[in-house]
Amino acid sequence: MRVLDLSAIAIVDHHCHPIRRPDQPVTLREAFSEAVDPQAIADGAETLLFRRTLREVAELYQCEPTEAAIEEARRSLGGDESLRRCFSEARLAALFVDEGIGDGQLLPAEAFLSVAPIRRVLRVESVATALISEESTWSAFVERLRTAIATPGPQVVALKTIVAYRTGLDVGPADDAAAAEVFFHLRQQLLRGRAIRLAHRPLNDWLVHEAARAARQTGLPLQVHTGFGDPDLDLRRANPLLLRPLLDHPAYRETRFVLLHAGYPFVREAGWLAWVLPNVLLDLGLAIPLLSVGGMRRTIDAALELTPLSKLLLSTDGALAPERFFCAARWGRRALGESLAAAVGDGDLTAGEAEAAAEAILAENARRWYGWPPAA
Ligand SMILES: [Zn+2]
């Protein structure tokens, strides 16, 4: 198959996370798994993804393609040098960083400044969790939350919700009284010295409505995790089709929703939403690079079945280790190049249209929808 060479395009990575501090490194196995269970992480070494990744990272670090040799190479190169190598291969024009992944051992987002300019993604559940511990009344909490997400400052280019991971995408109407009840319940837990987790439907659903409204007011896109991701999510409730009432709600027709993770495995469903609703965009992150090569290609092919080229974006969803960014950028370009070349072969696109589509998906759509970074 003829392949489009996309190596010249610098990717605008519209969704990623920080990496670990050098004194708290993750193994390559851990970095390329979404599991928490140690046995599941070990089993992850037997995926096509991991077999491929071992060879590619070994090539980058010029060592044997074994886990032991790679971990030794990572140690001897050190954090700064492996970051530099991974990012000079990845060639990312900008990074939009979500620091809310709740891992207390991460470097701040500024650690990326040596390799790319950064902006921030504000995770509304993190904002809410922090404010519950600071405010004792519901009205004070609501006021501070609204201010925080409606005036997040110039560094923030998107809002984000992880409701899919907590209570599911079948978001109901906002019920203030029921949400307030959850707020007081969580306050009680805090007063008893317990840690709190925002996983009670009335408050989580209420928060999504607040985020959708703030996104409309500010013009910032609202990123929504859909499909696979954290291991504890209920995948049945992460189907982006469940979002339809929210996406279509008259109050949010001006809110731009970005469906993250390609909605995998509900890629066609997500692509259909992006096709029929003017305010829905689709991201290919996490599916790239965590699937087999065939899986990545089929995911992009499925997205391209209906998604307008102007509404498809690539993120790395890189996290924890710089190798995630390296592999996501490599396979973002390669798999997209293969899918677009196939579209040319099929007669769906001309060669010129395929090249323009690649620019759009890897960089220009993010510039346009988020308004940053300025044109290169
Ligand atoms: Zn993410």
Side-chain angles (χ1 to χ4, degrees):
M1 189 182 15
R2 216 178 66 84
V3 177
L4 227 59
D5 179 8
L6 307 183
S7 53
I9 303 172
I11 295 169
V12 176
D13 183 0
H14 73 107
H15 176 85
C16 66
H17 305 278
I19 55 174
R20 279 282 186 88
R21 296 200 312 256
D23 60 325
Q24 296 291 335
V26 286
T27 61
L28 203 66
R29 251 186 216 209
E30 291 165 330
F32 281 83
S33 174
E34 291 287 306
V36 173
D37 181 279
Q39 184 59 48
I41 293 173
D43 292 340
E46 296 300 318
T47 55
L48 302 196
L49 144 78
F50 197 71
R51 294 283 175 85
R52 176 187 79 233
T53 298
L54 272 188
R55 288 193 303 276
E56 295 181 343
V57 173
E59 201 188 312
L60 179 71
Y61 292 158
Q62 296 172 312
C63 66
E64 289 299 308
T66 64
E67 284 185 83
I70 288 172
E71 298 304 344
E72 178 51 38
R74 294 170 95 210
R75 270 191 298 275
S76 68
L77 288 170
D80 288 349
E81 177 58 15
S82 44
L83 182 77
R84 194 196 63 74
R85 283 201 195 184
C86 288
F87 277 79
S88 77
E89 284 294 313
R91 278 167 300 112
L92 304 176
L95 301 174
F96 299 179
V97 189
D98 166 20
E99 292 185 285
I101 58 177
D103 179 318
Q105 300 156 326
L106 300 173
L107 284 170
E110 286 82 0
F112 289 126
L113 281 172
S114 64
V115 290
I118 61 167
R119 285 292 185 273
R120 282 164 210 285
V121 174
L122 189 65
R123 189 186 285 216
V124 294
E125 287 83 1
S126 304
V127 176
T129 304
L131 291 178
I132 290 170
S133 66
E134 291 173 22
E135 296 297 340
S136 58
T137 69
W138 171 248
S139 60
F141 166 76
V142 171
E143 198 184 315
R144 284 206 46 207
L145 179 100
R146 286 184 175 155
T147 304
I149 64 178
T151 53
Q155 286 293 312
V156 173
V157 288
L159 303 178
K160 172 179 173 191
T161 172
I162 55 160
V163 72
Y165 291 172
R166 298 295 171 83
T167 51
L169 294 178
D170 45 339
V171 174
D175 179 338
D176 291 85
E181 221 170 280
V182 174
F183 168 82
F184 287 115
H185 165 73
L186 294 173
R187 287 282 311 168
Q188 286 302 316
Q189 289 204 313
L190 277 175
L191 293 175
R192 289 192 200 108
R194 296 196 195 129
I196 57 165
R197 182 174 156 83
L198 223 64
H200 302 74
R201 230 187 127 169
L203 186 56
N204 285 70
D205 288 1
W206 176 88
L207 191 56
V208 173
H209 286 276
E210 290 294 323
R213 192 164 53 225
R216 190 197 62 210
Q217 287 165 354
T218 56
L220 300 178
L222 174 59
Q223 300 184 346
V224 187
H225 267 143
T226 62
F228 79 147
D230 288 5
D232 54 346
L233 76 85
D234 182 346
L235 194 56
R236 295 168 300 181
R237 300 180 77 184
N239 186 329
L241 289 180
L242 296 170
L243 281 171
R244 175 72 192 254
L246 189 81
L247 304 173
D248 222 6
H249 193 293
Y252 311 134
R253 291 310 291 259
E254 306 294 318
T255 298
R256 281 164 294 154
F257 294 90
V258 185
L259 308 181
L260 297 175
H261 297 183
Y264 182 87
F266 311 108
V267 188
R268 290 190 170 86
E269 288 86 337
W272 175 76
L273 288 167
W275 186 50
V276 294
L277 298 176
N279 55 340
V280 176
L281 313 175
L282 179 57
D283 160 65
L284 294 165
L286 203 66
I288 318 285
L290 291 193
L291 303 179
S292 67
V293 171
M296 291 190 282
R297 210 164 39 220
R298 283 188 291 275
T299 295
I300 297 176
D301 286 346
L304 287 172
E305 286 174 12
L306 277 180
T307 312
L309 299 170
S310 55
K311 298 171 89 181
L312 194 58
L313 304 98
L314 179 84
S315 70
T316 65
D317 207 354
L320 303 177
E323 293 87 356
R324 278 276 298 271
F325 294 80
F326 159 65
C327 291
R330 160 182 285 219
W331 283 103
R333 290 190 182 93
R334 280 196 194 173
L336 181 64
E338 291 179 15
S339 290
L340 289 173
V344 174
D346 290 341
D348 281 331
L349 296 175
T350 66
E353 286 170 339
E355 275 169 33
E359 281 279 355
I361 294 164
L362 295 181
E364 296 311 315
N365 289 343
R367 284 185 212 281
R368 185 155 61 88
W369 292 110
Y370 294 91
W372 195 84

